[in-house]
Amino acid sequence: SHEGAMDSMWILLCGALVMFMHAGFAMLETGCCRAKNAQNVLMKNMVNVCVGTLGWWICGWAFAYGSAGDPAGGFIGIHEFAGSGFLTFKDGEIVPLEPNQRQSKALSWFFQWAFCTAGATIVSGGVAERVKSPSYALFALFMAGFLYPVIVAWTWGGGWLSKFQDVGLMDFAGSGVVHLCGGTSALAGTVVLGPRTGRWEKPDDFEPHNLPLVVLGTFALWFGWYGFNPGSTLAMHDAQAGALAAQVAMNTTLSAATGGITVFLMRYKMLHKYDVGGLCNGILAGLVSITAGCGNVEAHSAFFIGLIGASVYQGASMALVKLRVDDPVDAVPVHGACGIWGCFAAALFDWGEGMNHYHGWKGWECVKNADETGCMQGAAGKGLLAQFVSVLCIVLWSGTFATAAFVALKKTGLLRVSVEVEAEGIDKVSHSPSKAYQLGANSNPYQVSA
């Protein structure tokens, strides 16, 4: 059908945009780390996508969506492992779609795969420059194949959190499901690993080595977010869907810009100097903050969500330094703290009339009574409670299993590189060629001269 073709083109395009965010993650993380580990960071991001893809194909999709919106016990999917059942064979022909079905399962698999691997990549930044690459690959496989899919099953997969309080978790594109899960797992990883050697004794040695890469990565992520958020309409077959996607894009843009300029001004007030890295992370903080509520808030609300999200990010970033938690790219403040704020903001700024009406997943319409006779009264309070319970469950689930995985790797001695390798640089010890940069015939590849 024409409608099915429009939906498919839209979701394929947006899925490709989300996949391109990996280029942004790779550039941002590489620029934030030291030059002597640049090649290792790049490799880790690429391996994350590859092993994450295999984990999602083997069992991730099945655990998340494999029970067609009715996970076993509201908890986990139990069908369609390794893509089984995606196609129907009948009378010598292959039937890709069921009657009256507009979108194939392969289409949904592709779009949700991009989200899954993006969530796993968030952890990479928090453990950068001291984690062993094979160990991180094992964790990425575990996260894409089990840790993240179970959260999806509870929420987007039709599980118990999607029905909680008759309104369910409102997370349009993943402030909680993707970013909070990734941010919490990153916190577990960086705490179990411990700080990079010398991080707090010689802090100037750990400044970002390449700000052009940080800025390039930020713009790539912002660009990809237009697949992440507007693409989560999951449809483009009528004017209503198009209008919602446009509203989502407008909200996303306003929150990103507001978050960026707010952190930039905060840092200037504190440092009396321009902080480009702070500007970049402020933009990302605004993007994460609006991701849950981009489909149920007005534009002026998006401005305030980005404004508050910038303060949440800055406060969380300073708290990590105070607690001496070494997060090379500020993954925890950006994705974890702002992911929490984004979930609450989706309920607090919902565009329903007053506090009685609540729209949430209904978009342009209010949440109705069970008999569909009118708008549910008091639904806003139910929505806020659903957000609170969902945030708590996501943090507990991802924090518990990520910590268990990292502790298990640490106990076996497989988690962290040696102090000698840290000092020498992982690129020089473990990579061929040993230089990420060739700056000149006689130049030191790990020092950039003015």
Side-chain angles (χ1 to χ4, degrees), residues 93-110:
E93 296 183 358
I94 298 174
V95 182
L97 296 171
E98 297 296 328
N100 301 319
Q101 185 181 15
R102 277 200 298 259
Q103 301 175 15
S104 69
K105 287 186 178 179
L107 179 68
S108 298
W109 184 98
F110 171 72

Side-chain angles (χ1 to χ4, degrees), residues 13-15 17-18 111 115 222-232:
L13 171 63
C14 290
L17 286 175
V18 176
F111 187 70
F115 278 63
W222 192 347
F223 178 70
W225 232 285
Y226 292 115
F228 212 91
N229 286 5
S232 292

Side-chain angles (χ1 to χ4, degrees), residues 29 32-33 122-130 182-191 194-196 199-200 206 208 281 313 316-317 319-321 323-337:
E29 185 182 339
C32 284
C33 294
I122 293 168
V123 184
S124 174
V127 300
E129 297 201 278
R130 72 268 204 210
T184 304
S185 300
L187 177 60
T190 191
V191 169
R196 292 166 289 177
R199 170 66 180 91
W200 306 115
F206 295 83
N281 273 343
Y313 159 73
S317 179
L320 284 191
V321 174
L323 296 170
R324 296 204 162 194
V325 175
D326 182 16
D327 182 353
V329 302
D330 264 358
V332 177
V334 169
H335 301 279

